[in-house]
Amino acid sequence: MTKRIAVYPGSFDPVTFGHLDIIKRASEMVDELIVAVLVNKAKTPLFSADERVKMLRTVTKDIGNVRVESFSGLSVDFARKEGAEFLVRGLRAITDFEYELQMAQTNRIMAPDVDTIFLTTNLKFAYLSSTTVREVASYGGDISRFVPPEIAKAVEEKYRQQQSRQKQE
Ligand code: PNS
């Protein structure tokens, strides 16, 4: 029997409890879930792709069929290279829908052999995004309800480093 593989692409800058919820649920639906961190040259992320991969590996280490990789280029090309049939995306609210629908339809035109599966985010995390986590942390707010402890530590450390660098300049 062929292995069912799905790719969950994203920025994960940083990974949140919302992403983790999607990862856990998606991993139960397939034989292997590849969490794919986009190396996006257009954006300046808080964490490098390597850092994001490392953080994701730490928080998914107990889920046996999850692999974390980075990729650049199109998600569908990465999915095909990995032999994946599915892309997984989380939907939090109607505001996500238009962009996600457009992306899924474009991906489907480019790669009819790769289907997008949408999982609705657990209501507990429907408000949550990496952007708001970064915003709260950048002002010294507590992010422990949004991300796992190892990630909170890494984010806080990153802003501490940035602030001490700014002071020196
Ligand atoms: O976590 P994000 O930033 O919402 O993830 C967006 C992501 C990485 C899934 C999307 O930007 C993406 O797939 N980028 C790679 C280029 C691509 O395949 N674009 C889709 C065609 S419209």
Side-chain angles (χ1 to χ4, degrees):
M1 220 173 64
T2 50
K3 212 168 138 184
R4 296 221 114 160
I5 304 172
V7 166
Y8 178 24
S11 304
F12 305 104
D13 188 34
V15 56
T16 68
F17 282 134
H19 296 128
L20 261 184
D21 172 61
I22 299 288
I23 292 171
K24 280 181 197 145
R25 286 159 55 204
S27 70
E28 285 165 15
M29 297 165 57
V30 290
D31 297 309
E32 183 175 37
L33 178 71
I34 305 170
V35 181
V37 174
L38 177 68
V39 182
N40 188 346
K41 291 198 180 81
K43 281 195 203 165
T44 312
L46 180 63
F47 290 98
S48 70
D50 282 350
E51 288 172 321
R52 285 177 277 153
V53 166
K54 257 189 216 144
M55 291 192 294
L56 273 157
R57 284 187 181 151
T58 304
V59 296
T60 58
K61 66 179 187 312
D62 295 332
I63 315 172
N65 63 339
V66 168
R67 177 151 63 87
V68 184
E69 305 291 349
S70 62
F71 77 105
S72 49
L74 294 171
S75 289
V76 286
D77 287 343
F78 179 76
R80 277 177 163 163
K81 182 172 84 73
E82 294 289 341
E85 288 172 80
F86 308 110
L87 289 177
V88 172
R89 293 287 289 167
L91 275 181
R92 287 166 302 191
I94 196 76
T95 43
D96 285 339
F97 186 73
E98 206 173 309
Y99 168 64
E100 292 296 337
L101 181 68
Q102 196 180 25
M103 199 158 64
Q105 288 173 336
T106 310
N107 284 337
R108 184 95 181 129
I109 299 279
M110 293 191 292
D113 48 328
V114 180
D115 235 322
T116 300
I117 297 176
F118 290 112
L119 293 183
T120 53
T121 307
N122 187 321
L123 276 180
K124 270 197 325 207
F125 308 122
Y127 64 91
L128 193 52
S129 73
S130 298
T131 309
T132 53
V133 169
R134 293 196 303 271
E135 171 88 359
V136 171
S138 72
Y139 290 105
D142 176 14
I143 55 168
S144 62
R145 275 165 299 174
F146 312 144
V147 298
E150 310 90 309
I151 307 301
K153 221 172 120 195
V155 174
E156 283 155 12
E157 182 54 32
K158 193 59 119 181
Y159 280 111
R160 251 196 307 276
Q161 283 171 6
Q162 274 191 3
Q163 276 154 14
S164 70
R165 223 175 299 132
Q166 278 160 5
K167 268 187 202 153
Q168 281 165 8
E169 284 166 9

PDB file of all heavy atoms in Angstrom, residues 9-12 38 43 71 73-76 89 99-100 103 106-107 110, ligand 1:
ATOM      1  N   PRO A   9       2.613  23.382   4.934  1.00  0.00           N
ATOM      2  CA  PRO A   9       3.568  24.472   4.717  1.00  0.00           C
ATOM      3  C   PRO A   9       3.190  25.718   5.511  1.00  0.00           C
ATOM      4  O   PRO A   9       2.009  25.939   5.797  1.00  0.00           O
ATOM      5  CB  PRO A   9       3.430  24.745   3.210  1.00  0.00           C
ATOM      6  CG  PRO A   9       1.995  24.444   2.919  1.00  0.00           C
ATOM      7  CD  PRO A   9       1.545  23.397   3.910  1.00  0.00           C
ATOM      8  N   GLY A  10       4.175  26.492   5.847  1.00  0.00           N
ATOM      9  CA  GLY A  10       3.880  27.744   6.548  1.00  0.00           C
ATOM     10  C   GLY A  10       5.144  28.483   6.908  1.00  0.00           C
ATOM     11  O   GLY A  10       6.262  28.026   6.628  1.00  0.00           O
ATOM     12  N   SER A  11       4.945  29.650   7.531  1.00  0.00           N
ATOM     13  CA  SER A  11       6.090  30.453   7.969  1.00  0.00           C
ATOM     14  C   SER A  11       6.536  30.027   9.372  1.00  0.00           C
ATOM     15  O   SER A  11       7.728  30.067   9.681  1.00  0.00           O
ATOM     16  CB  SER A  11       5.723  31.941   7.978  1.00  0.00           C
ATOM     17  OG  SER A  11       5.267  32.329   6.716  1.00  0.00           O
ATOM     18  N   PHE A  12       5.590  29.721  10.234  1.00  0.00           N
ATOM     19  CA  PHE A  12       5.880  29.248  11.600  1.00  0.00           C
ATOM     20  C   PHE A  12       6.894  30.154  12.303  1.00  0.00           C
ATOM     21  O   PHE A  12       7.905  29.676  12.826  1.00  0.00           O
ATOM     22  CB  PHE A  12       6.380  27.792  11.580  1.00  0.00           C
ATOM     23  CG  PHE A  12       5.458  26.846  10.880  1.00  0.00           C
ATOM     24  CD1 PHE A  12       5.760  26.379   9.596  1.00  0.00           C
ATOM     25  CD2 PHE A  12       4.284  26.432  11.475  1.00  0.00           C
ATOM     26  CE1 PHE A  12       4.898  25.506   8.936  1.00  0.00           C
ATOM     27  CE2 PHE A  12       3.415  25.555  10.822  1.00  0.00           C
ATOM     28  CZ  PHE A  12       3.737  25.102   9.563  1.00  0.00           C
ATOM     29  N   LEU A  38       8.748  27.640   5.189  1.00  0.00           N
ATOM     30  CA  LEU A  38       9.110  28.405   3.990  1.00  0.00           C
ATOM     31  C   LEU A  38      10.311  29.305   4.259  1.00  0.00           C
ATOM     32  O   LEU A  38      10.326  30.084   5.220  1.00  0.00           O
ATOM     33  CB  LEU A  38       7.923  29.267   3.531  1.00  0.00           C
ATOM     34  CG  LEU A  38       8.220  30.158   2.320  1.00  0.00           C
ATOM     35  CD1 LEU A  38       8.427  29.339   1.056  1.00  0.00           C
ATOM     36  CD2 LEU A  38       7.108  31.169   2.110  1.00  0.00           C
ATOM     37  N   LYS A  43      10.255  38.276   2.868  1.00  0.00           N
ATOM     38  CA  LYS A  43       9.968  38.746   4.230  1.00  0.00           C
ATOM     39  C   LYS A  43      11.229  38.645   5.081  1.00  0.00           C
ATOM     40  O   LYS A  43      12.084  37.820   4.826  1.00  0.00           O
ATOM     41  CB  LYS A  43       8.925  37.831   4.864  1.00  0.00           C
ATOM     42  CG  LYS A  43       7.500  38.086   4.439  1.00  0.00           C
ATOM     43  CD  LYS A  43       6.611  37.368   5.437  1.00  0.00           C
ATOM     44  CE  LYS A  43       5.240  37.044   4.890  1.00  0.00           C
ATOM     45  NZ  LYS A  43       4.545  36.072   5.727  1.00  0.00           N
ATOM     46  N   PHE A  71      11.863  24.624   3.036  1.00  0.00           N
ATOM     47  CA  PHE A  71      11.803  24.583   1.571  1.00  0.00           C
ATOM     48  C   PHE A  71      11.774  26.004   1.034  1.00  0.00           C
ATOM     49  O   PHE A  71      11.406  26.941   1.739  1.00  0.00           O
ATOM     50  CB  PHE A  71      10.559  23.802   1.084  1.00  0.00           C
ATOM     51  CG  PHE A  71       9.267  24.587   1.175  1.00  0.00           C
ATOM     52  CD1 PHE A  71       8.659  25.111   0.039  1.00  0.00           C
ATOM     53  CD2 PHE A  71       8.650  24.819   2.403  1.00  0.00           C
ATOM     54  CE1 PHE A  71       7.469  25.830   0.110  1.00  0.00           C
ATOM     55  CE2 PHE A  71       7.457  25.529   2.492  1.00  0.00           C
ATOM     56  CZ  PHE A  71       6.870  26.037   1.348  1.00  0.00           C
ATOM     57  N   GLY A  73      10.622  28.102  -2.760  1.00  0.00           N
ATOM     58  CA  GLY A  73       9.868  27.868  -3.995  1.00  0.00           C
ATOM     59  C   GLY A  73       8.413  27.576  -3.685  1.00  0.00           C
ATOM     60  O   GLY A  73       7.901  27.977  -2.632  1.00  0.00           O
ATOM     61  N   LEU A  74       7.786  26.867  -4.585  1.00  0.00           N
ATOM     62  CA  LEU A  74       6.350  26.616  -4.447  1.00  0.00           C
ATOM     63  C   LEU A  74       6.070  25.430  -3.524  1.00  0.00           C
ATOM     64  O   LEU A  74       6.765  24.409  -3.587  1.00  0.00           O
ATOM     65  CB  LEU A  74       5.731  26.324  -5.818  1.00  0.00           C
ATOM     66  CG  LEU A  74       5.719  27.461  -6.837  1.00  0.00           C
ATOM     67  CD1 LEU A  74       5.272  26.950  -8.207  1.00  0.00           C
ATOM     68  CD2 LEU A  74       4.803  28.596  -6.370  1.00  0.00           C
ATOM     69  N   SER A  75       5.018  25.577  -2.725  1.00  0.00           N
ATOM     70  CA  SER A  75       4.603  24.474  -1.834  1.00  0.00           C
ATOM     71  C   SER A  75       4.282  23.210  -2.633  1.00  0.00           C
ATOM     72  O   SER A  75       4.633  22.102  -2.222  1.00  0.00           O
ATOM     73  CB  SER A  75       3.354  24.864  -1.048  1.00  0.00           C
ATOM     74  OG  SER A  75       3.657  25.822  -0.088  1.00  0.00           O
ATOM     75  N   VAL A  76       3.607  23.388  -3.786  1.00  0.00           N
ATOM     76  CA  VAL A  76       3.218  22.190  -4.559  1.00  0.00           C
ATOM     77  C   VAL A  76       4.443  21.463  -5.125  1.00  0.00           C
ATOM     78  O   VAL A  76       4.452  20.237  -5.221  1.00  0.00           O
ATOM     79  CB  VAL A  76       2.204  22.508  -5.703  1.00  0.00           C
ATOM     80  CG1 VAL A  76       0.825  22.777  -5.134  1.00  0.00           C
ATOM     81  CG2 VAL A  76       2.693  23.614  -6.596  1.00  0.00           C
ATOM     82  N   ARG A  89      -3.754  23.006   5.519  1.00  0.00           N
ATOM     83  CA  ARG A  89      -3.762  24.387   6.006  1.00  0.00           C
ATOM     84  C   ARG A  89      -4.819  24.506   7.096  1.00  0.00           C
ATOM     85  O   ARG A  89      -5.854  23.828   7.059  1.00  0.00           O
ATOM     86  CB  ARG A  89      -4.078  25.365   4.869  1.00  0.00           C
ATOM     87  CG  ARG A  89      -3.005  25.450   3.810  1.00  0.00           C
ATOM     88  CD  ARG A  89      -1.765  26.176   4.271  1.00  0.00           C
ATOM     89  NE  ARG A  89      -1.997  27.610   4.423  1.00  0.00           N
ATOM     90  CZ  ARG A  89      -1.145  28.433   5.047  1.00  0.00           C
ATOM     91  NH1 ARG A  89      -0.031  27.978   5.591  1.00  0.00           N
ATOM     92  NH2 ARG A  89      -1.416  29.711   5.140  1.00  0.00           N
ATOM     93  N   TYR A  99      -8.049  34.272   1.120  1.00  0.00           N
ATOM     94  CA  TYR A  99      -6.650  34.034   0.755  1.00  0.00           C
ATOM     95  C   TYR A  99      -6.380  32.541   0.605  1.00  0.00           C
ATOM     96  O   TYR A  99      -5.736  32.093  -0.357  1.00  0.00           O
ATOM     97  CB  TYR A  99      -5.754  34.667   1.829  1.00  0.00           C
ATOM     98  CG  TYR A  99      -4.296  34.290   1.772  1.00  0.00           C
ATOM     99  CD1 TYR A  99      -3.510  34.645   0.667  1.00  0.00           C
ATOM    100  CD2 TYR A  99      -3.686  33.599   2.821  1.00  0.00           C
ATOM    101  CE1 TYR A  99      -2.169  34.301   0.624  1.00  0.00           C
ATOM    102  CE2 TYR A  99      -2.351  33.256   2.784  1.00  0.00           C
ATOM    103  CZ  TYR A  99      -1.595  33.602   1.684  1.00  0.00           C
ATOM    104  OH  TYR A  99      -0.269  33.269   1.640  1.00  0.00           O
ATOM    105  N   GLU A 100      -6.889  31.765   1.537  1.00  0.00           N
ATOM    106  CA  GLU A 100      -6.634  30.318   1.515  1.00  0.00           C
ATOM    107  C   GLU A 100      -7.298  29.655   0.312  1.00  0.00           C
ATOM    108  O   GLU A 100      -6.721  28.755  -0.299  1.00  0.00           O
ATOM    109  CB  GLU A 100      -7.131  29.669   2.817  1.00  0.00           C
ATOM    110  CG  GLU A 100      -6.330  30.069   4.051  1.00  0.00           C
ATOM    111  CD  GLU A 100      -4.870  29.603   4.019  1.00  0.00           C
ATOM    112  OE1 GLU A 100      -4.538  28.644   3.305  1.00  0.00           O
ATOM    113  OE2 GLU A 100      -4.060  30.231   4.720  1.00  0.00           O
ATOM    114  N   MET A 103      -5.306  30.519  -2.757  1.00  0.00           N
ATOM    115  CA  MET A 103      -4.047  29.771  -2.770  1.00  0.00           C
ATOM    116  C   MET A 103      -4.316  28.299  -3.139  1.00  0.00           C
ATOM    117  O   MET A 103      -3.616  27.726  -3.972  1.00  0.00           O
ATOM    118  CB  MET A 103      -3.372  29.884  -1.403  1.00  0.00           C
ATOM    119  CG  MET A 103      -1.919  29.546  -1.434  1.00  0.00           C
ATOM    120  SD  MET A 103      -1.014  30.252  -0.054  1.00  0.00           S
ATOM    121  CE  MET A 103      -1.750  29.420   1.331  1.00  0.00           C
ATOM    122  N   THR A 106      -5.201  28.041  -6.833  1.00  0.00           N
ATOM    123  CA  THR A 106      -4.008  28.237  -7.673  1.00  0.00           C
ATOM    124  C   THR A 106      -3.132  26.986  -7.615  1.00  0.00           C
ATOM    125  O   THR A 106      -2.654  26.494  -8.646  1.00  0.00           O
ATOM    126  CB  THR A 106      -3.191  29.463  -7.180  1.00  0.00           C
ATOM    127  OG1 THR A 106      -4.079  30.551  -7.033  1.00  0.00           O
ATOM    128  CG2 THR A 106      -2.085  29.822  -8.142  1.00  0.00           C
ATOM    129  N   ASN A 107      -2.953  26.466  -6.411  1.00  0.00           N
ATOM    130  CA  ASN A 107      -2.143  25.256  -6.255  1.00  0.00           C
ATOM    131  C   ASN A 107      -2.747  24.086  -7.022  1.00  0.00           C
ATOM    132  O   ASN A 107      -2.036  23.285  -7.619  1.00  0.00           O
ATOM    133  CB  ASN A 107      -2.005  24.898  -4.764  1.00  0.00           C
ATOM    134  CG  ASN A 107      -1.017  25.813  -4.058  1.00  0.00           C
ATOM    135  OD1 ASN A 107      -0.144  26.396  -4.694  1.00  0.00           O
ATOM    136  ND2 ASN A 107      -1.157  25.947  -2.755  1.00  0.00           N
ATOM    137  N   MET A 110      -1.992  24.408 -10.643  1.00  0.00           N
ATOM    138  CA  MET A 110      -0.584  24.077 -10.922  1.00  0.00           C
ATOM    139  C   MET A 110      -0.294  22.602 -10.714  1.00  0.00           C
ATOM    140  O   MET A 110       0.551  22.027 -11.386  1.00  0.00           O
ATOM    141  CB  MET A 110       0.345  24.907 -10.019  1.00  0.00           C
ATOM    142  CG  MET A 110       0.323  26.391 -10.315  1.00  0.00           C
ATOM    143  SD  MET A 110       1.638  27.262  -9.459  1.00  0.00           S
ATOM    144  CE  MET A 110       1.120  27.121  -7.755  1.00  0.00           C
TER     145      MET A 110
HETATM  146  O1  PNS B   1       2.189  30.585   7.513  1.00  0.00           O
HETATM  147  P1  PNS B   1       1.855  31.353   6.264  1.00  0.00           P
HETATM  148  O2  PNS B   1       2.774  32.535   6.092  1.00  0.00           O
HETATM  149  O3  PNS B   1       0.399  31.707   6.187  1.00  0.00           O
HETATM  150  O4  PNS B   1       2.157  30.332   5.047  1.00  0.00           O
HETATM  151  C1  PNS B   1       2.009  30.737   3.718  1.00  0.00           C
HETATM  152  C2  PNS B   1       2.610  29.687   2.773  1.00  0.00           C
HETATM  153  C3  PNS B   1       4.050  29.375   3.123  1.00  0.00           C
HETATM  154  C4  PNS B   1       1.821  28.411   2.841  1.00  0.00           C
HETATM  155  C5  PNS B   1       2.489  30.247   1.326  1.00  0.00           C
HETATM  156  O5  PNS B   1       2.974  31.549   1.285  1.00  0.00           O
HETATM  157  C6  PNS B   1       3.253  29.401   0.324  1.00  0.00           C
HETATM  158  O6  PNS B   1       2.873  28.288   0.020  1.00  0.00           O
HETATM  159  N1  PNS B   1       4.367  29.972  -0.182  1.00  0.00           N
HETATM  160  C7  PNS B   1       5.253  29.323  -1.121  1.00  0.00           C
HETATM  161  C8  PNS B   1       4.959  29.825  -2.546  1.00  0.00           C
HETATM  162  C9  PNS B   1       3.668  29.195  -3.010  1.00  0.00           C
HETATM  163  O7  PNS B   1       3.585  28.008  -3.223  1.00  0.00           O
HETATM  164  N2  PNS B   1       2.593  30.021  -3.144  1.00  0.00           N
HETATM  165  C10 PNS B   1       1.272  29.518  -3.411  1.00  0.00           C
HETATM  166  C11 PNS B   1       0.854  29.806  -4.812  1.00  0.00           C
HETATM  167  S1  PNS B   1      -0.307  31.112  -4.787  1.00  0.00           S
END
